Amino acid sequence: IEALVEEVAAARSFTASQSVVQIYGTCEECRTGRNSTGQLGQTDLLFARDALRIAIATERSGFEFYRRAARLTRDARGRKVFEDLALEEKEHLGKLEARYNELLQRDPKLESLPTFLFFKGVAHDLFTEGVERLKRGVNDQQALMIGIRCERGSHRFFKKYGERFEDSEGKQIFLEFADEEREHLDLLVREYRALLKRQKRARRPAQRGSATVRSAR
């Protein structure tokens, strides 16, 4: 549906800001007279399963991004920030995978059921693209900027969709992840500003020296 909206909008040089899809029909309970409470419960589990899958994929790509960024960063403080974030991503990945396994224990059939949540341009794609940019070669400042863009996009993704969902375990997973990405974003922004200050201080002695030489001449 999102792809069709983009296609129609692009054909008319139109920037879409919002779209609404309404589906009318008859639920199983009204159609058959059977209580559908059990099916609703399974839907909630499917929602949580897919939310965890998206979060796990994002965590994996985020871990790979920060691990690679730490290897190429020359600034010691910036490298430590990337190393800490990589470690945090790895630890959180383990917790998410354990949570996913616990969910499967509640219903072993979940693993084989069709996808319930569909998204175009999910958050982990942002970090995958970020890794590709790192591979092409960047300096310390650029690496931080790429990380900031990835975390900002990831935060917006999980917050945007999490707030739209009804109360459920899946909603909680999305909003929890949005909070974590926000913390990472704030950390990277602070480090980026600190790096600029360190670079500015490092240039000052050289500028004073050149001015002294000109005065002597």
Side-chain angles (χ1 to χ4, degrees), residues 57-58 61-62 65 121-133 146-158 181:
T58 303
S61 55
F65 173 83
V122 289
H124 65 81
D125 290 340
L126 297 169
F127 287 100
T128 300
E129 182 181 348
V131 169
E132 293 302 315
R133 293 191 63 186
I146 295 171
I148 288 171
R149 283 194 290 270
C150 290
E151 291 290 358
R152 181 178 288 120
S154 183
H155 165 71
R156 287 174 176 172
F157 171 85
F158 285 101
E181 301 298 76

Side-chain angles (χ1 to χ4, degrees), residues 4-22:
L4 288 173
V5 170
E6 291 179 6
E7 182 180 343
V8 171
R12 293 162 175 75
S13 298
F14 180 79
T15 302
S17 59
Q18 184 178 6
S19 60
V20 179
V21 177
Q22 293 180 315

Side-chain angles (χ1 to χ4, degrees), residues 11 166 175:
E166 295 181 359
L175 293 182

Side-chain angles (χ1 to χ4, degrees), residues 51 123 139:
N139 59 33

Side-chain angles (χ1 to χ4, degrees), residues 45-64:
L45 289 179
L46 282 171
F47 186 175
R49 180 204 66 180
D50 289 355
L52 281 169
R53 284 179 174 176
I54 294 170
I56 287 171
T58 303
E59 206 71 273
R60 284 176 179 162
S61 55
F63 168 68
E64 175 60 24

Side-chain angles (χ1 to χ4, degrees), residues 104-122:
L104 294 183
Q105 289 177 5
R106 289 157 62 182
D107 187 351
K109 296 180 181 178
L110 280 178
E111 186 74 355
S112 59
L113 293 175
T115 302
F116 182 72
L117 293 179
F118 290 92
F119 293 104
K120 182 179 180 182
V122 289

Side-chain angles (χ1 to χ4, degrees), residues 80-97:
K80 180 66 165 55
V81 168
F82 284 136
E83 289 173 347
D84 289 346
L85 283 172
L87 180 60
E88 186 175 332
E89 299 277 34
K90 186 176 181 180
E91 291 176 349
H92 194 216
L93 175 60
K95 293 178 181 178
L96 287 173
E97 290 175 337

